[in-house]
Amino acid sequence: MKKIVILISGRGSNMQALLETTLPCQIAAVISNRADATGLGIARAHGVPTAVVAHLDYPDRGNFDTALAQTIDAFNPDYVVLAGFMRILGAGFVARYRGRLLNIHPSLLPSYGGLNTHARALHDGVKIHGCTVHFVTPDLDHGPIIIQAAVPVLRDDTEQTLAARVLHEEHRIYPQAIRWLCKDQIELDEQDKVLFRYRKQSSFALISPGLE
Ligand code: GRF
């Protein structure tokens, strides 16, 4: 059975969604760069091994990345899953895990890379927002897209209500992406395109605010 390692920095709700669904792979470990990440306790409660590689213990990004890679590789995973991992990883780290490193981002990439995605979407008045699972490449938040979920932005939304609507979908699409990967239904090809062996497609249109 394939193995994944999940990297977190905080709450760990995406990690929890992965722990609480059926996956065709083993979650070999959860690693955090912060010892106080809430998600670590959730992982332990599920009997998953945890480790902390605290970025503050290293003089620079290169040293941190090396220590992190050593900790990851000790679990011998097929895939490394970033789930709210709040450190930027260097080009060497990203290259080491090419095609094996996934991230989830709370926007419809390539719109709203970076932080504060929900506030920026509300500020711009977009009517559709969402989340994206993508392969990680050196281009921050712009790696090849595997799956996206779109949600309507409602008239009375606050940052919190919009975030909650998006997060609900994050918890659905991340397990799906990992199922495809672990069942060899997708891969990253040499041209950095996502190759799909999975055939089903959607013809559903989300129109927001909605037609009369
Ligand atoms: C999620 O919104 C994820 O998309 C982003 O960071 C947040 C992490 O939340 N990368 P959680 O720790 O999974 O609850």
Side-chain angles (χ1 to χ4, degrees):
M1 189 182 259
K2 293 202 173 173
K3 292 202 277 185
I4 65 171
V5 162
I6 304 175
L7 304 192
I8 64 167
S9 295
R11 179 177 59 177
S13 73
N14 276 287
M15 173 210 72
Q16 185 170 6
L18 294 170
L19 288 169
E20 293 179 355
T21 191
T22 306
L23 294 175
C25 58
Q26 181 202 346
I27 300 177
V30 169
I31 301 172
S32 174
N33 64 308
R34 297 179 58 111
D36 62 354
T38 315
L40 286 173
I42 300 169
R44 287 190 203 108
H46 281 78
V48 173
T50 61
V52 174
V53 183
H55 61 278
L56 293 174
D57 290 349
Y58 297 89
D60 54 35
R61 190 191 307 286
N63 282 282
F64 170 67
D65 283 3
T66 301
L68 182 61
Q70 281 168 358
T71 306
I72 292 169
D73 292 350
F75 294 100
N76 201 23
D78 295 281
Y79 300 107
V80 179
V81 173
L82 306 181
F85 185 70
M86 298 304 287
R87 302 302 298 174
I88 294 173
L89 297 161
F93 183 98
V94 171
R96 180 189 190 100
Y97 298 104
R98 189 189 177 280
R100 301 168 52 210
L101 185 58
L102 294 187
N103 185 41
I104 187 156
H105 184 79
S107 76
L108 290 172
L109 292 174
S111 293
Y112 306 118
L115 299 174
N116 302 319
T117 57
H118 309 309
R120 287 155 60 207
L122 284 173
H123 176 265
D124 288 346
V126 297
K127 300 295 178 257
I128 295 175
H129 186 46
C131 48
T132 302
V133 178
H134 63 96
F135 283 108
V136 177
T137 59
D139 202 3
L140 183 69
D141 290 337
H142 282 282
I145 292 170
I146 296 170
I147 185 170
Q148 296 182 301
V151 302
V153 179
L154 304 182
R155 205 165 297 126
D156 296 329
D157 264 336
T158 62
E159 202 178 326
Q160 288 69 34
T161 58
L162 181 56
R165 190 173 311 115
V166 172
L167 192 64
H168 181 76
E169 301 308 321
E170 293 187 36
H171 296 166
R172 299 173 69 202
I173 64 172
Y174 220 176
Q176 177 66 79
I178 291 164
R179 282 187 203 107
W180 282 334
L181 257 186
C182 291
K183 287 165 43 182
D184 290 322
Q185 289 180 325
I186 55 172
E187 69 177 76
L188 187 64
D189 74 10
E190 292 303 316
Q191 284 75 43
D192 272 356
K193 294 273 178 276
V194 181
L195 183 69
F196 270 84
R197 298 193 187 86
Y198 178 78
R199 303 302 304 171
K200 193 169 167 191
Q201 303 213 61
S202 173
S203 55
F204 172 77
L206 172 58
I207 299 175
S208 171
L211 303 176
E212 279 208 341

